[in-house]
Amino acid sequence: MSLSPRAWFGIAVSLLLAACAVGAPWLAPHDPLEQDLLASSLPPAWAADGEARFLFGTDSLGRDILSRLVWGARPALIVAVAGALLAGVVGTFLGLAAGFFGGWWDAVVSRLVDVWMSFPAVLLAIVLVAVIGTGLWSVVIAIALIDWTRFARVVRAEAMQQSRLNYVVAARTIGLSRAATLAREVLPNVLPLLLTLVTLEMGIAVVVEAILSFVGLSVSSDMPTWGGLIQEGRLYVNQTPWLLGLPVVALALAVLGFNALGDGLRESLDPVVAR
């Protein structure tokens, strides 16, 4: 299987994000919480007044922006992976049941999806986190409760299509139960689609975490997050525009990487698209 340049770009961005998240204690040049008021609001090192020891400059409290960006990759990746996988598990189970078994399963799941998707996603996430309580895992649960519908709708349609194909009829003819046919025959053929959906959902989860961090409903204020950095940079955008621009670039790069990975994998794994 050959991967497209888009997929390789997504893999490179994902590996970079993973390296920053796992290796933050070693990759960050400074303590992200260390304050140095004598070095506050320094521009990036390539600017006229920049200093080499602060490659991306400092914020109003003299904290190193590069270190805070590196550490901010950790909550972003945790939320992206855990939120996407949890939403995928819930949505896939309900979508497979609705699409393959039909009947009242399909009716209940379809109505539930329609009602749940009628609420604005970001507003619903803010309400859920406010009810559950702030924290990283509260954000993960909120994302899973919101975005399981995305998986359920797509998987339902795919399972409904697969259930009409000859290999499913043959499996039922040789005596496999409906549950066994679903697990052993239909699910493996849905997995390439699920892999694509998970990677795309990871990009959405990163944005949701940044929004919740921006309004103070994600992790504690002493942990660097990209949304928190954007919120801080907004206050000083006229004096220190790099404080706002750099986390925005990091967030955009992560989302583009996950989306490119999802599209690239779909091009490689989906035989219809590949043709």
Side-chain angles (χ1 to χ4, degrees), residues 26-182:
W26 302 278
L27 294 176
H30 301 276
D31 184 341
L33 304 179
E34 182 182 358
Q35 301 180 14
D36 184 0
L37 296 179
L38 296 178
S40 63
S41 301
L42 288 176
W46 57 84
D49 298 329
E51 294 186 12
R53 61 192 179 110
F54 298 116
L55 183 61
F56 285 176
T58 60
D59 62 10
S60 60
L61 298 177
R63 296 173 296 190
D64 180 49
I65 295 176
L66 175 58
S67 299
R68 293 176 66 78
L69 285 174
V70 171
W71 277 93
R74 178 170 290 185
L77 186 64
I78 292 174
V79 168
V81 174
L85 289 179
L86 188 56
V89 169
V90 175
T92 299
F93 172 78
L94 294 176
L96 283 173
F100 188 75
F101 294 113
W104 67 269
W105 263 106
D106 189 21
V108 171
V109 173
S110 297
R111 297 295 79 74
L112 185 60
V113 168
D114 291 340
V115 171
W116 205 247
M117 294 190 73
S118 65
F119 295 99
V122 175
L123 179 60
L124 185 58
I126 293 174
V127 171
L128 288 173
V129 172
V131 172
I132 299 172
T134 59
L136 196 61
W137 294 108
S138 297
V139 176
V140 171
I141 294 173
I143 290 174
L145 290 176
I146 294 169
D147 285 343
W148 66 268
T149 54
R150 196 184 319 275
F151 288 87
R153 292 188 69 176
V154 176
V155 172
R156 171 187 172 273
E158 184 67 17
M160 192 175 294
Q161 179 182 1
Q162 294 289 331
S163 65
R164 300 190 182 101
L165 298 181
N166 291 335
Y167 78 92
V168 174
V169 177
R172 297 285 293 136
T173 302
I174 63 175
L176 283 181
S177 65
R178 298 186 72 185
T181 303
L182 179 61

Side-chain angles (χ1 to χ4, degrees), residues 1-17:
M1 178 185 66
S2 60
L3 296 178
S4 65
R6 186 180 301 178
W8 283 115
F9 171 75
I11 292 173
V13 172
S14 301
L15 290 177
L16 177 62
L17 184 60

